[in-house]
Structures are given as C-alpha cells and as structure tokens.
Amino acid sequence: MEKYNNYINGKWIDSSSGKTIEVDNPATEKVIGEIACATNADVDMAIEAAKKSFQNRSLVDMPIMDRARLMHRIADETRKIAKEGGTLLCYENGKALAGAVKEFSDVADTFDYYAGLTDKLEGKTIPVANGVLDYTVLEPYGVSAHIIPWNYPLAMIGRSLACAMATGNSTIIKTPELTPLAATVFAKAIERANTPPGVVNIICGYGNEAGAYLVSHPDVNHIVFTGSVATGKKILHAAADKAIPAIVELGGKSAGIVYPDANLDDVVESARHAIFGVAGQICTAMSRLVVHKSVKDELLVKLVDLSKSLKVGPGYEEGSELTPVISQNQLDKVEGYARSGIQAGAEAVHGGKRVDREGYFMEATVLDKVTQDMTVAREEIFGPVLSVLEYEEPEEAIQIANDTDYGLGAGVFTKDLDKASWTANKLESGQVYVNKWFTGSLATPFGGYKQSGYSREKGQQALNAYLQIKNVGISLS
C-alpha cells in the first residue's frame, strides 16, 4: 500500500497533522493506498503559495505564448502518464480501465484546447468622447479554489484548471477523499512541465473540514465546485459572505423523450453508456425515459435484454460493462432508492437490488410504471437505475421532462428533425442531446438550469467566468 502526499508550492508535502485518508477499491472493498489528509494548516500553506505566485504575477506577466507553451507541456506530460494515472483511477474509482486512461487523455486535450485560446482573450476600445481613450482589460481574479467530485476527478480538474491557467489565476485543487490518488499522478505532469511554484496546488482533505475551510478563507477570490445541490448551496453561501464569484455545477435528473418514430436501438445504446456506464454515476445520466405508450413495451424488452447482457465486474477486467458504485454508502443509497420505487408502485422489469458478490455492485435496474410523484422520478440517484414513464401527447412528454428541480441534461429520440428542434426548444436544460446521449465535446459549453447550477464549463464561454473586466479611461487633452 503506497502513501501519497499533497502537492503544494511545487513540493510534495505530508499532512501537518500526520493523518492520512485510506482509499479502497470499490470492486474488492480492500484498501489500495492512503493519502496525506490536509488540515487547516495545510490549506493555509496551499493558499499562501497560490497567493504569493499570483502576487508575483507568475502567470499574469508571463508572455502569452510562453503561457500557452507551458499549458502544451502539461498536455504532453499528461499523455505520458495517462496509462499510469488511468490504471490508478480505475482501481480507486472502479470505472473501466479504457475510460480511466481516456480521462487523462481528455485532460491533455483540454489543456491543448485552452492553450490555443490564451492569446485570444481581448479587451476592446469604447468610443466615449473626443479627447478620451477608453478601453477594457480582462484580468484574472487571483486565488481560485476548485472542489472536485469523485466520479470524474481528472476530467473535472482538467476543465477548470486549464481555464484558470489560461486566464492567469493561481489555483488550489481540493481532490475528493474517495478518489484522490490519480490526481497525484497528474501533479507529476504539472511538476515535470516546469510549472512555476504555487501556480497549481493539489491537496486532499475531507469536504466538511478542508473543503469548507478553503472556500471560506479570506484570501480565496474565486470558487469552482461540482457536486451535490446541498453542498453547492453551502458553498454559494460562503461565496456570498465574501462577495466573490462561484462557478457551480450541481445535480441532475435528465430525461430522454422517446417519440413513436424513434430508432429504439439508439435509445438502448444511449442507455448502455448514459445510465449503466460508470454504474450510472454521471451528473447528466439518462436516469429517466419518457416513452410514448405505443413503443414502450417494445423498448422495455430491448432494455431488459441490454441489462441482462452487461458483464458485471471490476473495471480492470476485460469486457466489464457494469462496474461498481463508489462505496458501501452509495450502494446502500442506490438500492434504497430502487426499493422505495418498487414499494411506491413501480415494477422492476430487471434488477432492483445489489449484486451478490464481493464489491459494491448494483444490478442494472429498469423500473417501469414510474409516475412523476415517485422519489425515483424526482431525486438524483447516482446509480444504474433507469425510470421509465409513459406519455401520449408531445406536450405531456415535455411537461414530464421539465417537471424536476434540475436542468442539467435532456434528450430527444426521433427521426423528425422538426420535432427534435421543437422539443429541444421547450426542454428546460443546459444541454439537449438528439438521438445520441453525450454528443458534446470539450468545445461545447456545459452547465445547468434551475438547481443544476449556473455558469458554464468547457468551450470558449467558460473562460468568461475566470476573468473580470477593468475599464480604463484616459483623458488625452
């Protein structure tokens, strides 16, 4: 069992308290490593390092093309350690090995993408009056704190850190205590790229301790958070108390509307990746299907066939498609939701309980006869549980899909592009997928409506949330 440390001010630092956090493999329930547990003193050290690097203008005064080259070096070094990091991520998270390695490759692509935008962040001149030169300057906020979730820890680090660096901010990343180890491999890429000390600091601590202290610290100027609505609201309160900006991406309860003319095989293939992939632990999971009554029975047969065909096993075993959920607590929660749905009148046409084997495995679960008032149709489960609801008229389908506190993702399945466009316009969601779930890329803006949060990650629009505007007016007379 290896011991991992925090990365602060360009150095590998043990916890000031000597405490560690054990990390287990959700496929075996066995501890695979431990990491130094950051306490308030360690958070102070990381913030001081970031603050000093920003005051020294390590990135701000770096020539723009040099900043871009630094980010390209980070991308190159990340690709070199993708297999090592992806393997560790697979073991600590449970996800498929290929997907874990790809997560590192995606981080590299993200750094390359935003490196290419560093020299395109431009202010503008504003006509005010004769004899006056007025212009705007885009400037970073300063010390940016990022709280990272456990389901896609490297992807979430990549998309926010690349934006922070491209815009000249210095960053503290608080990794999730359930999956912190692969981030230490990524820190090697930061180190090997000769990143100036203090520009990037990566620490692990408990959310209610190190995380809460980090976001409330007076020297933090900007917050990025991905996670639950409840925690997100606490962070927004902390940001409001200090009057600083926060980027928040919260929960989801995404619905896919299936019209009578839909290619049902497209729906099933989307279910394979969007609700059963990564054991359904996806913020934009296709957790609800709103299906026209004329095709529901046929689709249910196909969904059951898919569920039966999925190979259950650890992500590092070849062919495994249904991998474990992250922890015992999460398994209990997911199974509890499925049970409550069945007790409320839903029918489990497949699954509904945990798998009888070592590890935190939940059956691929398809619930029919779900109604809008059921908990399984309203709350985020974060597990491989698909709720199927029936409708007759298009307006009814829209009403069911929008009848949620969330608005992160939605989808529509139809061969009629006019109907697809009409539906997309009416869905209250930050992104809408048509005929295939997850059609976006790192160049497409990502974020939510309603209690799924606000602001946008990914795409060019994401950079706006990492910059503030200064106006300069010069009298020339």
Side-chain angles (χ1 to χ4, degrees), residues 119-131:
D119 62 340
K120 299 170 184 66
L121 303 174
E122 302 171 341
K124 62 180 182 179
T125 58
I126 303 172
V128 173
N130 289 334

Side-chain angles (χ1 to χ4, degrees), residues 368-381:
D368 185 22
K369 300 179 181 177
V370 176
T371 56
Q372 290 170 259
D373 60 321
M374 292 182 185
T375 303
V376 290
R378 307 204 65 83
E379 297 185 11
E380 185 175 41
I381 297 174

